[in-house]
Amino acid sequence: MTGPKKTVTMMSASGILGYGFPEASLEAALARKPDMIGVDGGSSDPGPHYLGSGKTLNSRLAMKRDLSLLLRGAIRNGIPMMVGTCGGAGGKPHLEACADIIREVAREHGLSFRMALIHAEQDAAFIVEQLEAGKVRPLNNAPQIGAEDIRGAERIVGMMGPEPYRAALAAGAQVILGGRGTDPAPWVALAMHHGLPPAPAWYAGKMLECACNAAIPKKHDCLLVTVGEDFVEAEPLNPELRCTPLSVAVQALHENASPVIRHEPGGIVDSTDCRIEAVTERIVRITGMRWKPMPYSIKLEGARMVGYSAIAIAATRDPGLIGQIDSFLDFVRGSTATKVTALGISPADYQLVIRAYGRDGVMGAWEPHAELAPVELALIAEVVAKNQETANAALSLARVTLLHSDFPGRMCREGNMAFPFSPSDIERGAIYEFMLQHVVEIEDPLRMFPISYEDVGASA
Amino acid sequence: MTRLKDIAKACKSKNAGPFHITLDIMFDQPALFERVRASGVVSAELIARLYGVPVGEVLFTEYPPALAWKATIPRRIASGAVGDTDVYGAQQHAPLLDIEIPD
């Protein structure tokens, strides 16, 4: 444990591990002798597929490039390197994928260090136990869930706070890879490890998790943040970028429900009364943030498999068809259902979803101009069914029904649709959905996040 | 009448978790922000009407440090679930563009 420090300087490489960053910015950061370098690795934004399937969001090649530079920089300078929400979703396979890269880089470059892996994937039986003890609470208007929902999940992760990272630092780990966590966690942990109070530590963590999202012009680049007892200062490392009071204030809007109140494990970060001032034309200082402790809780994320999907993409350029597309699609749905039933497939066993791009494909019911008639209209027909064979069979009938159904005034008698691909029908495999918007109340911040340690590169 | 798209710096949307979408209206000139603020047009009620959600489900915050308003509403369909059209929620801002501000 290091003694208390007046200020701590921390670097974040980019918004997400694998997005890339300029090597010169990392070197500029290291020249400033920061107390740690790190990067956040995840988000739920790309959807439920990654948590459900166990695949990583970014490619192994891209993650290895970033991790190799960060790891070598950290070891050379004797400072900690931390990665939050490894592999995009922070489950066991995602954490293991990043750990595997770290071991490989260490081997290739002859590096040795102590590594901590913080596990965030939750045992269904443990969550069911908490549910039955009344410790699992829905957020907002999330639906009630039962033990069967939990047992039916493909994967559940808890979003750790900074405490497991602090424990790993205290145990002497230099490289710390985390499973799913709240994005600011690694930097909050480092600042608090050095004795700084939670309010500026959390504010700094929130800035750092998205790196140069807090600077202009916007690009994937490294951010340096200095934290003191009562202030945070942010500075981009690329001389072409600037932090301004406005760019920093704008970052507070990013991906939050509220720009001023942020719920985190164990408390609330309140920036209602923050002052945001320019120190130079590239450096911004923020003061006045507050931390309000709350009973400790951990947010859960879960994904369940909903079936197997197949899609076909088609488009029409026929004004007669576009002018009556709603009644035509109703007919296609009805006719497809009849043909699918004839295969012995129950209507309960599949769903057909047709999106009309050029009309309301992007916004659905929220589209304010759905009545405008486009010149061409793209349709994506999707079937989701309990197995791939059923999905393929139903989609194939939906596709031919789109192509060859009659409609009043039809002139295009050889087919209604332009298909850009052969094969037209594309299997998407298993698909997932998010199924938890809940927190579990738990007194011990470490309880759900076991840490394993290993000496990487030690002479064996 | 002036439309928001002609005077705002940004009108954007993004996921705030898998079950909510957050809408941001941002200015880069304090005078323009104050003019729109004084008009009282941008409100939780307006967002509720534009998106067809109950006003009680709109979390609405005026945020002067960023010359911005933020509104967070429940998604029609959870991110990436069957029938979703916008996994990142990044293209749900269009109704904001045509908000009319009295001259």
Side-chain angles (χ1 to χ4, degrees), chain A residues 108-190:
Chain A
E108 287 170 1
H109 294 273
L111 308 174
S112 53
F113 47 86
R114 190 155 170 77
M115 177 162 77
L117 303 182
I118 311 174
H119 303 267
E121 195 164 322
Q122 303 299 313
D123 183 29
F126 170 75
I127 301 294
V128 168
E129 204 176 282
Q130 301 303 305
L131 183 73
E132 285 168 353
K135 299 284 188 190
V136 177
R137 175 165 57 83
L139 289 173
N140 303 308
N141 37 20
Q144 291 293 333
I145 46 160
E148 280 316 299
D149 297 308
I150 299 295
R151 290 192 193 100
E154 195 74 30
R155 181 169 288 106
I156 293 174
V157 289
M159 291 180 77
M160 72 180 79
E163 294 81 1
Y165 288 92
R166 281 187 76 176
L169 282 167
Q174 185 174 6
V175 173
I176 306 175
L177 304 185
R180 187 62 168 136
T182 180
D183 294 347
W187 296 279
V188 180
L190 197 280

Side-chain angles (χ1 to χ4, degrees), chain A residues 261-345:
Chain A
I261 303 293
R262 196 176 156 91
H263 295 265
E264 295 288 0
I268 289 170
V269 191
D270 183 347
S271 49
T272 309
D273 297 325
C274 274
R275 291 183 46 164
I276 308 176
E277 298 161 299
V279 175
T280 71
E281 62 173 22
R282 298 185 57 251
I283 303 176
V284 165
R285 184 182 181 98
I286 308 103
T287 53
M289 59 289 287
R290 291 189 305 250
W291 170 256
K292 184 181 167 202
M294 301 281 282
Y296 210 88
S297 65
I298 289 292
K299 192 169 175 188
L300 300 171
E301 272 178 5
R304 68 175 152 226
M305 218 251 271
V306 287
Y308 293 79
S309 166
I311 60 170
I313 301 170
T316 174
R317 182 59 183 78
D318 189 296
L321 177 54
I322 291 171
Q324 54 187 303
I325 192 70
D326 282 321
S327 55
F328 175 77
L329 291 181
D330 282 345
F331 177 83
V332 167
R333 288 186 190 96
S335 177
T336 302
T338 304
K339 294 173 190 171
V340 173
T341 305
L343 299 186
I345 299 168

Side-chain angles (χ1 to χ4, degrees), chain A residues 224-290:
Chain A
L224 193 76
V225 166
T226 304
V227 193
E229 296 276 341
D230 55 359
F231 75 91
V232 171
E233 267 183 25
E235 174 187 356
L237 289 151
N238 183 338
E240 293 166 17
L241 303 188
R242 296 182 295 135
C243 279
T244 69
L246 191 59
S247 77
V248 165
V250 164
Q251 159 63 12
L253 298 173
H254 186 64
E255 292 172 0
N256 297 337
S258 159
V260 288
I261 303 293
R262 196 176 156 91
H263 295 265
E264 295 288 0
I268 289 170
V269 191
D270 183 347
S271 49
T272 309
D273 297 325
C274 274
R275 291 183 46 164
I276 308 176
E277 298 161 299
V279 175
T280 71
E281 62 173 22
R282 298 185 57 251
I283 303 176
V284 165
R285 184 182 181 98
I286 308 103
T287 53
M289 59 289 287
R290 291 189 305 250

Side-chain angles (χ1 to χ4, degrees), chain B residues 65-88:
Chain B
L67 310 179
W69 286 271
K70 178 180 264 300
T72 302
I73 57 177
R75 276 175 153 274
R76 291 182 290 113
I77 298 168
S79 169
V82 176
D84 183 31
T85 56
D86 188 354
V87 168
Y88 290 79

